[in-house]
């Protein structure tokens, strides 16, 4: 139950406290990667996130469209609200999303074993369901 609460707060806090996307700071970010994490190149990242959706362990879902559209839907237990925006992929596994309300965020996507994991700039780790 704590994980569901944490993911819900992660999403809302991200939307409320997001900072503008700046390409160089996001790419230069000192991400909290583990020694076994494998960073993804652009082609591998694109293949990992599409056709989607990516489903997290709290049942939240991220959907990346080939045209650059993005949607994140909270699980039903967390209210089911959907936030829309656009995304950009970097060459080193970073995905930056700009929401329709003007807020933005960048996250690093890595492979940890056979699992895709989203690492936030704050160091949070959110595994994607297989």
């Amino acid at each position: 139950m704590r994980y569901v609460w944490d993911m819900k707060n992660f999403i809302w806090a991200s939307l409320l406290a997001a900072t503008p996307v700046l390409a160089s700071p996001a790419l230069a970010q000192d991400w909290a990667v583990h020694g076994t994490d494998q960073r993804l190149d652009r082609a591998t990242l694109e293949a990992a996130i599409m056709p989607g959706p990516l489903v997290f362990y709290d049942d939240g879902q991220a959907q990346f469209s080939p045209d650059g559209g993005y949607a994140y839907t909270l699980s039903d237990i967390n209210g089911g609200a959907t936030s829309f925006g656009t995304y950009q992929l970097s060459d080193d596994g970073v995905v930056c999303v700009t929401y329709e309300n003007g807020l933005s965020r960048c996250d690093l996507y890595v492979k940890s074993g056979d699992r895709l994991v989203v690492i936030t700039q704050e160091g949070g780790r959110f595994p994607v369901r297989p």
Side-chain angles (χ1 to χ4, degrees):
M1 189 61 157
R2 177 160 166 67
Y3 183 80
V4 171
W5 185 85
D6 287 343
M7 188 63 171
K8 181 179 178 183
N9 284 330
F10 155 70
I11 296 300
W12 287 114
S14 298
L15 291 174
L16 295 173
T19 56
V21 174
L22 300 172
S24 55
L27 298 178
Q29 170 76 30
D30 193 19
W31 300 95
V33 295
H34 293 175
T36 57
D37 290 341
Q38 296 176 333
R39 291 185 78 132
L40 307 176
D41 62 34
R42 185 184 189 99
T44 305
L45 174 60
E46 192 169 304
I49 65 173
M50 285 189 252
L54 301 181
V55 180
F56 294 89
Y57 280 90
D58 71 340
D59 291 328
Q61 297 185 18
Q63 181 72 52
F64 296 88
S65 299
D67 66 358
Y70 174 81
Y72 187 88
T73 303
L74 293 168
S75 66
D76 288 340
I77 197 168
N78 288 322
T82 301
S83 297
F84 297 96
T86 58
Y87 72 92
Q88 294 182 341
L89 305 178
S90 73
D91 292 332
D92 65 350
V94 175
V95 177
C96 293
V97 174
T98 301
Y99 293 94
E100 288 180 342
N101 64 6
L103 299 176
S104 56
R105 62 172 299 106
C106 294
D107 299 309
L108 175 65
Y109 287 62
V110 299
K111 285 294 251 186
S112 181
D114 62 351
R115 180 174 294 186
L116 183 64
V117 175
V118 178
I119 303 174
T120 66
Q121 289 178 306
E122 296 79 23
R125 295 178 65 87
F126 297 93
V128 175
R129 284 189 183 174

